[in-house]
Amino acid sequence: MPISLIQPEFKVEIDYDKCHKCGRCVQQCGWGVYSFNERPIPDDSKCRACHRCVTYCPAHCIVIKKNDLALRDNANWTSALRKSVWRQAETGGVMLAGMGNDKPYQSVFDHLVLDACQVTNPSIDPLREPMELRTYLGRKPDNVEVEPDGAGGYKLKEGAGVTNNIKLETPMIFSPMSYGSVSLNVHKSLAMAAERCGILMNTGEGGLHADLYPYQDNVIVQVASGRFGVNPEYLNRGAAMEIKVGQGAKPGIGGHLPGEKINKEVSETRMIPQGSDAISPAPHHDIYSIEDLRQLIYSLKEATGYKPVGVKIAAVHNVAAIASGIVRAGADYVYLDGFKGGTGAAPQIIRDHVGLPIEIAIAVVDQRLRDEGIRNQASIIAAGSIRSSADFAKAIALGADVVAIGSAALMALGCHMCQGCHTGSCSWGLTTQKPELTRRVDPEWGAERLSNLVHAWSHELQEILGALGVNSVESLRGSRERLRAIGLDEQTCKIIGVKPAGM
Amino acid sequence: MEFNPLLERMPTSKMPSFTDREGLFNEERPRYAEEAASKIHGGCGLMGICDESGTPMSGVEAIKAMAVQRDRGNGLGGGYAGYGIYPEFPDHYCFHMMYHDIKAKEDAEAIFDQYFVVDLAEPMPTRPVKGISDAPLLWRYFLNPDSYKLESSEMSTEDFIVHTVMLINSSVDGAFVASSGKNMGAFKGVGFPEEIGHYYRLDEYEGNTWVGHNRFPTNTPGWWGGAHPFTLLDWSIVHNGEISSYGINSRYLEAFGYKCTLGTDTEVAAYLFDLLLRRHKLPLELACKALASPLWTEIDRMPESEQAVMRSLRAVYGPGMLNGPFAIVLGFNGGMVALNDRIKLRPLVAARQGTRLMVASEESAMREVLDAPDKVWAPRAGEPVIARVKGQDWPIHGDLHLSASEVSCAVTGVESSCETVEVN
């Protein structure tokens, strides 16, 4: 009997005429593709097309190709489905996957176009005019109350005005990725970049390593269902706290970090024994209802002198009502994670089939909070496949205050989306704890690349704002009048509050 | 139906009979509900004049100021608002109404009859003017809320009036409230502003403050209600520009119960001033700073207490910030304020002669009306120019009530911060 019916997905082709026989590919590959016998010999079945070997081959003699094995065409039984069946017949297990949903769902973002000024109002040149992206994250009062200050001006009334908000220099933050699922060097890169860009990184659910304490003012500390690394000091170090209820890639599903990834450092940061599996329950076992959430929100606030507390949820069918409840429960922001959001590991069937696109979630939540007159009471952070500054701008126009990027941030650090995060063997040293791999990310290099990405997208957002004839991002936020839909059905247009192009 | 000149306009060649006229309105002329389907673009000219001593000025002054700025419009909209023009009815709300047809009039009057005590209802005095045609039915009503209805509504008188305006504009088909304030009124329509001024017989009115407007709409057929000024209570707004943030401004206002039915920038500006000044009781200077906010880099250099105020204003009122090119004149009982956008993308010039403060899109208007201005200057971006009528309440400070000296400080402060232009 064959061990497996599944043939390799990729073919590794080496041009041996050009090959230096240096063995660097053998050394670089985290998946164990190469053996060496006078020259590198690839085992195609292990290749994930992460291009680590390709990037580091001094002779540029490696090419990764798709294995073009013909299977009889069947639009219903795609080759991916057939492989799935074979694989599960072999293992009897739940199929795991990393990164985000890769199925060809319609992207609402790709069906939205932005407006620009012509004649009746001037566009603004962001190279020559101010173009403001500064954003305050958190709960805001409905109005500002002032009183004369006795010197001809005004001062805020006692207790009035905006307090406990976090200043962001651009409305973009890094999404939560836990230490444990990613390496410490990745965390350091994110924290350093967040500090340089005046934005935030997010610990995810794995606690805050002591090496990140210098950057704590640019860190959101997460409280997830496993409560890993949560203690009063941890809470008080963060600029804000975030209760993670759900994740776009796996709504309703907990987490499982295998014991192999729990080394000494991770174990200390997570406050669990070395080598033990870190299991995050699907729900928080102290949150079975919205009033329980309220109690946790206020417990965290009480523990920290009322720092902002956000709640992260996966975008699901009833997201608008849930978000409204979260705001009324006292959250300072609602973090919406769409179903194309990434993950370190999730059951593939959940990743690919559960949840809502982030575009829809932003639109319905923003509208619901406005309908209820509580939009000012919380910021909306949107995540779940923000792939470019166009998505960034469109998310803001639909109603998000801030977007969060995770997959794009990892790509800035080298990720090639091979979807092997759950294996712990990431050749780029990102989603692994193997010291020989994690040392591949120099935090200084990482921070620079992440800062570049944040700056590049921010510059592009400024260009978009300038074309729209506004010089401040709050004038785009929720301004769906500046969006038009091409090829979206009428009902979807209605739901997201965007007119079809031509109207 | 017997023809009643008070109820119907003389039929024109386009309107052979009442029935046809209804058809005409339904099929060819847009009503505001349709006009609002997309945002209206346009450029404009404007003026505002206030005699701070309270001395009444003839409406002719406003007409003169607009006539020299004729090139700034295209004949598809002109209008004025005057303050202190109804001294015989100082304590009545005066509704200037536009009706497309009798049905609209009856429907609106049913609301007046039910919720108000109407002390005078009369057709708006007009005279035939070449170039003005297709006027809707124009009526005015001097009224006050029925005290029982007001009490049972549990609203303030002003909210009651605002509610009525929203109700009529959004749900009475073919009826439009042109103005709804005390001792003031808006006179507007489709035509060049000097024609509109003569049509409404503005030479027969005297007021201490006038604002005027000349419209250049680019994508909408002229509709009488769409002309400026746009008003609510005694706020009147004339506006030159394009609020590029219209989409979020209108959504923001909707959360506070305002219904943006016209699709015009001016409407959102009027509602924003109403929200900030009347409902949130912000001082006028700060309301202007919220709507045409200083840049963050400017705020970062302010003293700490001012920074705290400005940070809060921007963070809270960001969705209301008017972004894009504009020059606005806001008139009200007690004065006026003129405001440019945050980077001065539209013209606004100011002049003072004695107690008269005047603003306009072009200096020519000032030269026409003021024979020897003491000073002419270009106000800076986002810096309001404020005029206050002596002896009148300063209603727009809410419960703050600035003393006269504080207000004049504010005015002087504004002028001194502006570039003075030599007057020959």
Side-chain angles (χ1 to χ4, degrees):
Chain A
M1 290 286 115
I3 298 168
S4 175
L5 304 185
I6 299 163
Q7 299 309 308
E9 276 194 78
F10 305 102
K11 282 175 76 173
V12 182
E13 292 183 359
I14 300 172
D15 182 346
Y16 289 114
D17 290 344
K18 287 161 78 183
C19 178
H20 296 180
K21 323 285 189 293
C22 65
R24 196 174 289 182
C25 48
V26 184
Q27 177 200 7
Q28 290 296 328
C29 182
W31 316 106
V33 167
Y34 296 95
S35 54
F36 198 86
N37 185 2
E38 293 185 349
R39 58 185 194 176
I41 317 283
D43 174 355
D44 290 349
S45 68
K46 291 180 179 165
C47 179
R48 304 193 69 98
C50 81
H51 290 199
R52 180 78 190 185
C53 59
V54 175
T55 309
Y56 277 81
C57 174
H60 306 296
C61 69
I62 306 174
V63 178
I64 313 289
K65 290 190 172 162
K66 266 191 185 166
N67 188 357
D68 243 351
L69 266 183
L71 281 167
R72 181 173 293 280
D73 283 345
N74 189 319
N76 186 39
W77 279 100
T78 59
S79 61
L81 285 168
R82 277 177 265 183
K83 283 180 192 167
S84 238
V85 169
W86 291 329
R87 190 166 281 126
Q88 292 193 294
E90 275 166 37
T91 62
V94 171
M95 304 254 293
L96 290 181
M99 298 312 289
N101 190 333
D102 59 4
K103 296 290 174 287
Y105 287 95
Q106 181 188 44
S107 161
V108 177
F109 280 141
D110 291 344
H111 290 264
L112 295 177
V113 286
L114 287 152
D115 194 14
C117 294
Q118 298 287 298
V119 184
T120 55
N121 49 351
S123 42
I124 302 171
D125 190 338
L127 292 176
R128 294 171 182 81
E129 302 275 352
M131 194 56 70
E132 302 186 310
L133 300 183
R134 188 185 294 182
T135 299
Y136 281 87
L137 178 68
R139 172 171 292 251
K140 294 163 188 71
D142 285 338
N143 61 327
V144 177
E145 294 179 82
V146 296
E147 57 193 10
D149 64 358
Y154 299 94
K155 60 178 183 186
L156 290 172
K157 274 190 183 165
E158 182 80 19
V162 172
T163 51
N164 283 340
N165 270 237
I166 300 172
K167 181 172 90 174
L168 302 175
E169 290 303 340
T170 183
M172 183 200 291
I173 61 174
F174 298 124
S175 56
M177 289 178 278
S178 70
Y179 173 43
S181 73
V182 297
S183 70
L184 184 58
N185 282 345
V186 170
H187 253 210
K188 284 181 186 167
S189 303
L190 289 165
M192 287 160 68
E195 189 189 45
R196 289 177 196 177
C197 299
I199 60 169
L200 297 168
M201 66 89 74
N202 189 318
T203 58
E205 58 178 306
L208 181 71
H209 191 279
D211 285 2
L212 269 65
Y213 290 172
Y215 310 101
Q216 62 188 29
D217 292 342
N218 295 85
V219 174
I220 295 175
V221 293
Q222 206 179 57
V223 177
S225 60
R227 300 291 153 84
F228 300 120
V230 177
N231 58 42
E233 187 195 354
Y234 168 75
L235 296 176
N236 278 289
R237 283 190 184 276
M241 293 159 287
E242 178 175 290
I243 300 169
K244 179 201 176 183
V245 172
Q247 186 176 340
K250 43 178 175 177
I253 299 287
H256 181 169
L257 191 67
E260 299 84 67
K261 274 186 153 180
I262 314 292
N263 60 22
K264 182 167 177 290
E265 301 264 297
V266 174
S267 125
E268 281 168 7
T269 307
R270 292 210 171 207
M271 308 191 312
I272 53 171
Q274 206 172 327
S276 67
D277 288 2
I279 297 184
S280 302
H284 286 245
H285 284 301
D286 54 358
I287 306 178
Y288 284 0
S289 66
I290 191 77
E291 62 271 23
D292 292 345
L293 176 69
R294 182 183 180 83
Q295 291 186 356
L296 182 57
I297 289 173
Y298 280 92
S299 302
L300 295 178
K301 289 188 177 189
E302 286 289 338
T304 57
Y306 280 72
K307 282 190 176 177
V309 176
V311 175
K312 177 181 176 183
I313 52 169
V316 290
H317 300 180
N318 205 18
V319 65
I322 297 163
S324 160
I326 288 170
V327 175
R328 291 181 189 281
D332 297 84
Y333 69 80
V334 186
Y335 184 127
L336 303 171
D337 201 12
F339 82 151
K340 291 180 190 167
T343 175
Q348 190 169 340
I349 209 78
I350 301 286
R351 187 196 75 171
D352 292 351
H353 298 279
V354 178
L356 289 183
I358 187 58
E359 303 93 314
I360 304 283
I362 299 168
V364 298
V365 169
D366 176 65
Q367 189 57 46
R368 173 66 71 94
L369 298 184
R370 287 180 192 282
D371 289 346
E372 296 187 10
I374 54 175
R375 180 65 183 85
N376 248 17
Q377 291 182 22
S379 297
I380 296 175
I381 300 178
S385 197
I386 304 294
R387 303 158 301 169
S388 67
S389 58
D391 289 358
F392 183 15
K394 290 169 189 177
I396 286 175
L398 284 171
D401 292 84
V402 173
V403 302
I405 56 165
S407 300
L410 287 180
M411 275 185 269
L413 297 175
C415 170
H416 279 56
M417 284 240 156
C418 76
Q419 305 192 18
C421 323
H422 58 295
T423 63
S425 298
C426 175
S427 296
W428 291 90
L430 305 170
T431 57
T432 174
Q433 301 303 328
K434 294 180 183 167
E436 68 275 20
L437 296 176
T438 59
R439 59 193 278 270
R440 293 179 174 184
V441 177
D442 170 9
E444 186 54 49
W445 171 86
E448 190 183 331
R449 290 182 62 90
L450 286 165
S451 306
N452 285 345
L453 180 70
V454 171
H455 288 145
W457 284 14
S458 299
H459 282 311
E460 287 177 345
L461 180 63
Q462 288 176 323
E463 294 285 349
I464 290 169
L465 291 174
L468 288 165
V470 298
N471 53 12
S472 185
V473 70
E474 57 255 51
S475 297
L476 176 63
R477 186 176 308 128
S479 201
R480 301 178 190 176
E481 179 62 27
R482 309 312 294 277
L483 292 171
R484 289 292 185 274
I486 293 179
L488 287 180
D489 62 277
E490 192 179 348
Q491 191 64 25
T492 305
C493 286
K494 218 171 180 177
I495 288 165
I496 63 172
V498 173
K499 293 173 191 161
M503 271 186 81
Chain B
M1 181 189 285
E2 197 180 333
F3 178 70
N4 179 344
L6 291 186
L7 295 178
E8 292 173 42
R9 291 292 155 201
M10 182 65 74
T12 67
S13 57
K14 281 169 81 180
M15 293 185 273
S17 74
F18 183 69
T19 327
D20 282 350
R21 180 176 171 179
E22 281 223 303
L24 182 71
F25 277 115
N26 284 338
E27 284 161 25
E28 291 175 30
R29 275 183 68 172
R31 291 167 180 240
Y32 50 81
E34 292 154 26
E35 190 168 7
S38 63
K39 189 170 160 296
I40 294 163
H41 300 261
C44 308
L46 51 77
M47 63 79 63
I49 187 165
C50 174
D51 195 319
E52 294 184 312
S53 69
T55 313
M57 292 169 283
S58 163
V60 173
E61 305 291 340
I63 297 177
K64 275 158 60 184
M66 290 320 301
V68 293
Q69 300 187 82
R70 182 184 167 98
D71 282 355
R72 301 191 70 84
N74 62 1
L76 288 178
Y80 304 86
Y83 290 86
I85 57 171
Y86 293 129
E88 64 274 33
F89 286 103
D91 297 322
H92 283 70
Y93 289 95
C94 178
F95 274 59
H96 283 196
M97 296 297 300
M98 294 177 172
Y99 300 121
H100 282 282
D101 49 44
I102 301 284
K103 175 75 170 54
K105 178 170 181 289
E106 287 167 356
D107 291 348
E109 287 183 348
I111 292 175
F112 294 147
D113 288 343
Q114 197 177 349
Y115 294 103
F116 293 86
V117 176
V118 180
D119 285 327
L120 177 63
E122 60 180 6
M124 188 72 79
T126 56
R127 66 164 71 96
V129 170
K130 193 183 167 200
I132 301 292
S133 61
D134 288 356
L137 304 173
L138 299 167
W139 276 67
R140 68 184 171 200
Y141 303 80
F142 295 90
L143 44 74
N144 270 309
D146 178 289
S147 56
Y148 175 73
K149 296 280 165 54
L150 177 62
E151 202 173 311
S152 54
S153 75
E154 298 183 352
M155 282 190 259
S156 71
T157 313
E158 286 160 334
D159 280 335
F160 192 87
I161 299 287
V162 171
H163 189 77
T164 306
V165 172
M166 297 290 152
L167 179 72
I168 293 174
N169 285 353
S170 66
S171 65
V172 180
D173 192 27
F176 180 70
V177 184
S179 63
S180 55
K182 284 182 178 175
N183 204 1
M184 62 78 68
F187 308 89
K188 63 183 188 176
V190 174
F192 281 102
E194 61 274 23
E195 297 165 355
I196 292 289
H198 287 298
Y199 177 76
Y200 277 105
R201 308 166 81 119
L202 287 195
D203 45 306
E204 296 170 6
Y205 296 82
E206 287 199 322
N208 54 52
T209 303
W210 288 94
V211 299
H213 191 261
N214 190 6
R215 192 174 180 220
F216 198 132
T218 49
N219 68 347
T220 178
W223 167 64
W224 280 59
H228 297 207
F230 189 82
T231 72
L232 186 68
L233 293 168
D234 70 330
W235 312 118
S236 70
I237 284 215
V238 291
H239 163 243
N240 168 23
E242 165 102 10
I243 308 293
S244 307
S245 54
Y246 172 83
I248 184 56
N249 298 150
S250 58
R251 292 186 75 215
Y252 177 64
L253 285 164
E254 276 160 17
F256 290 97
Y258 296 92
K259 296 190 175 93
C260 299
T261 52
L262 296 177
T264 67
D265 300 334
T266 320
E267 182 187 33
V268 302
Y271 294 163
L272 282 167
F273 272 112
D274 184 63
L275 176 71
L276 267 53
L277 297 174
R278 187 177 63 83
R279 288 172 63 179
H280 288 177
K281 302 193 187 314
L282 276 182
L284 178 59
E285 298 88 325
L286 294 189
C288 290
K289 295 287 178 199
L291 297 181
S293 309
L295 301 167
W296 284 117
T297 49
E298 295 171 308
I299 294 171
D300 290 345
R301 290 196 297 269
M302 292 174 179
E304 181 46 45
S305 120
E306 207 179 335
Q307 262 193 48
V309 173
M310 279 313 308
R311 255 202 315 271
S312 291
L313 279 181
R314 280 203 66 173
V316 171
Y317 294 112
M321 182 168 81
L322 297 172
N323 213 321
F326 69 83
I328 275 180
V329 183
L330 172 73
F332 45 87
N333 278 318
M336 68 172 189
V337 54
L339 183 66
N340 244 159
D341 62 76
R342 37 197 328 242
I343 53 176
K344 200 166 174 88
L345 294 171
R346 286 286 158 100
L348 184 69
V349 191
R352 174 177 284 285
Q353 179 177 320
T355 54
R356 285 189 180 185
L357 184 63
M358 185 169 173
V359 292
S361 298
E362 294 181 12
E363 194 180 329
S364 60
M366 256 86 75
R367 301 289 175 190
E368 180 73 14
V369 174
L370 306 175
D371 43 11
D374 308 328
K375 185 172 164 185
V376 180
W377 76 96
R380 283 192 182 159
E383 287 285 348
V385 177
I386 300 170
R388 183 198 177 186
V389 179
K390 203 172 144 193
Q392 286 211 10
D393 287 343
W394 188 243
I396 53 175
H397 282 82
D399 54 2
L400 283 164
H401 288 301
L402 279 195
S403 70
S405 66
E406 277 176 301
V407 170
S408 63
C409 273
V411 174
T412 322
V414 165
E415 291 185 15
S416 63
S417 74
C418 301
E419 292 161 38
T420 306
V421 176
E422 274 303 311
V423 177
N424 299 322

